Every structure is written in structure tokens, then in C-alpha cells.
Amino acid sequence: MSGDRPGGRTPGGKTHEVIQPRNKLREMVGGKKPLGGDVLRKAETAAKKVQDKTDYTGHAQTNLTRLMVAYDRAQGAERAEALHDMFEIAHDMRGEGGSFGFPLVTQIGDILCKHLTALKSPEALELPIVKLHIDALKVVINQRLRGEGDDTAKQVVDGLARIALKPR
């Protein structure tokens, strides 16, 4: 480090030294060349195959059960801890939904996360709003609603956003 040198300066007289770490991944795929469209298409095709073969609904059902348990706990003395758990679960579902062809799960999870983070305190939690999100997630997962959904689904998501994200 430059601080270990006499006078704390590098040979060029600078007071610090920037060390760039090796980018092993870039070295493995061939340097700084941009990936061509063919490589990207192959990657997208491979991702789609994995998406189609994966039964996300089983995993989502587990997360949904965990969300309902946290919701039940939020009705009692464990509200702050349950609120944290609900956020973590909704955050996970938000990230996973789109990856497995369930963008409605992502959208509903995103709205719920934003609602929970906007709360000023655990006491400000409005349980009926959380319950609406849980019910919407149940429908999407149990009905295996892949894709963006129809007009009704879009209206439900819009309605959740209006209710959950309005200033309080």
C-alpha cells in the first residue's frame, strides 16, 4: 500500500494507488469483446428452457405459506419481527416471479415491498392491505397465471398499487 512507503507517496508522487483486480470471468469468456447477438439468443433460449421445465409454483406456494404465517404473527405481539419477515418473503417473491415466467408475482411483490418500506412504524401496518396482496398472490400462484395477465389482472395490480402506495 502507498501508506507503507516513506512519506506515504507512490513513486509518481501521488498520495494513493488504485489497484484494479483481475476480472477472471472476462478472461474466461475472451477479453473485452462484446457478446454477439447469437450468443445472447442462445442464452435466452437456454434460460427459457429452464424456466419452462421448472415448477416455480411449488416454491412460490412455500413462500406464500411463509408469508401467511408472518401475516398471522403480525396480528399479535410480534408485529415488528413479522413485518420484517413479510418484507423479506415478498422481496424474494418479487425477484423470483419474473425469472420463472410469473411477472404478476413480481409486480404484486414489488407493490407490497414498497408499501412495507413506506411504513413509519410497525404500528402503522394496515393488515387488510397486506391481506389483499396475499390473496392476489394466491390467485396468481394457484391458477398458475404466467405472463402479464389479462385486463382483469392488470386492473387488480393497478388497484393494489393505488391502495398500497397512496401517501399516508
Side-chain angles (χ1 to χ4, degrees):
M1 291 184 74
S2 61
D4 297 337
R5 297 172 195 256
R9 297 200 180 272
T10 64
K14 296 179 182 172
T15 59
H16 67 280
E17 180 178 0
V18 176
I19 300 172
Q20 294 293 331
R22 284 180 49 199
N23 187 330
K24 293 179 185 177
L25 180 59
R26 178 173 281 154
E27 291 170 9
M28 285 190 274
V29 295
K32 295 183 180 184
K33 297 184 289 187
L35 297 177
D38 190 43
V39 173
L40 293 176
R41 274 189 294 282
K42 285 180 183 178
E44 288 171 352
T45 301
K48 179 79 172 118
K49 284 180 184 177
V50 169
Q51 188 182 78
D52 291 342
K53 289 181 183 179
T54 303
D55 180 20
Y56 170 69
T57 57
H59 178 69
Q61 197 65 252
T62 299
N63 278 338
L64 188 55
T65 300
R66 291 176 51 227
L67 186 60
M68 290 186 291
V69 168
Y71 170 82
D72 289 341
R73 287 184 17 245
Q75 298 179 56
E78 299 178 45
R79 182 170 275 215
E81 183 181 326
L83 176 63
H84 177 268
D85 291 347
M86 286 189 292
F87 174 82
E88 292 294 321
I89 296 162
H91 186 271
D92 288 349
M93 293 180 83
R94 172 179 78 176
E96 297 164 350
S99 298
F100 292 100
F102 288 84
L104 290 170
V105 170
T106 294
Q107 293 169 16
I108 296 166
D110 183 55
I111 296 166
L112 181 55
C113 284
K114 287 175 180 173
H115 173 70
L116 296 175
T117 57
L119 296 173
K120 306 251 188 278
S121 69
E123 293 74 32
L125 178 63
E126 296 179 53
L127 290 168
I129 292 175
V130 176
K131 183 74 166 89
L132 288 171
H133 286 79
I134 291 172
D135 290 344
L137 287 167
K138 278 183 192 176
V139 170
V140 171
I141 293 164
N142 291 339
Q143 297 297 316
R144 299 176 185 267
L145 299 178
R146 291 179 166 268
E148 296 295 328
D150 60 11
D151 286 340
T152 302
K154 291 173 185 164
Q155 289 173 3
V156 168
V157 170
D158 289 344
L160 286 172
R162 277 194 306 277
I163 293 167
L165 303 179
K166 74 177 182 181
R168 291 181 162 54

